[in-house]
Amino acid sequence: MYPKGQMSNHFRKMRVGDTLAVKGPRGRLIYKPGQARAFGMLAGGTGITPMFQLTRAILENSKDKTNVHLIYANISHDDILLKDELDGFARKFPNRFKVFYVLSQPPEAWNGGIGHISKEMIEKHCPAPAPDIQILRCGPPGMNKAMAGHLVALGYTPQMQFEF
């Protein structure tokens, strides 16, 4: 729970037995093996969920040669969901899966990105714009809006982008 998080505050006020209406997911990606040479993935917080599902489907299919480049942003190291699994993919598939973590409140001994996902991070850690590249993003609204701007500035066309 985050002190200033809108949902965190709502959940704190709920009592046992209260209900909450939920809708989603917003975007639906129908994946076919080989539809892209590579995916760049920009995830923030719980936005890792669809990225993880797609990554696992790609990497566990021995016939699928798609590469995956993930930039995953969180507030603190403790907020990184599925870190062991993601690091396991990076070890097991070093030529097909790369992950770069970004923290806005990193610990002292941190060798990942600091702050928010930047244009420079995307340029360095994602595949360059090309017709056979797709960039996926899933995170808080402000992050998605900022990433859309970065992607356009870097030359990714709307056809190369998908937001969950």
Side-chain angles (χ1 to χ4, degrees), residues 40-103:
M41 297 180 174
L42 309 175
T46 58
I48 191 63
T49 307
M51 307 303 188
F52 180 77
Q53 291 172 331
L54 179 58
T55 297
R56 183 173 54 192
I58 290 169
L59 297 177
E60 290 180 353
N61 180 348
S62 61
K63 295 178 183 176
D64 193 339
K65 302 304 177 199
T66 305
N67 292 320
V68 177
H69 306 259
L70 170 65
I71 301 177
Y72 183 23
N74 284 280
I75 294 173
S76 72
H77 190 271
D78 290 339
D79 294 327
I80 302 173
L81 302 174
L82 300 165
K83 187 171 188 320
D84 291 341
E85 291 85 348
L86 295 168
D87 290 345
F89 286 154
R91 282 190 302 276
K92 189 173 179 181
F93 304 99
N95 298 321
R96 295 187 50 219
F97 179 74
K98 307 285 186 217
V99 60
F100 182 69
Y101 299 103
V102 180
L103 297 178

Side-chain angles (χ1 to χ4, degrees), residues 103-126:
L103 297 178
S104 55
Q105 296 175 6
E108 284 188 35
W110 178 249
N111 60 0
I114 297 174
H116 299 286
I117 299 174
S118 66
K119 267 194 317 190
E120 294 76 20
M121 289 177 194
I122 296 169
E123 201 166 31
K124 182 176 181 180
H125 297 284
C126 285

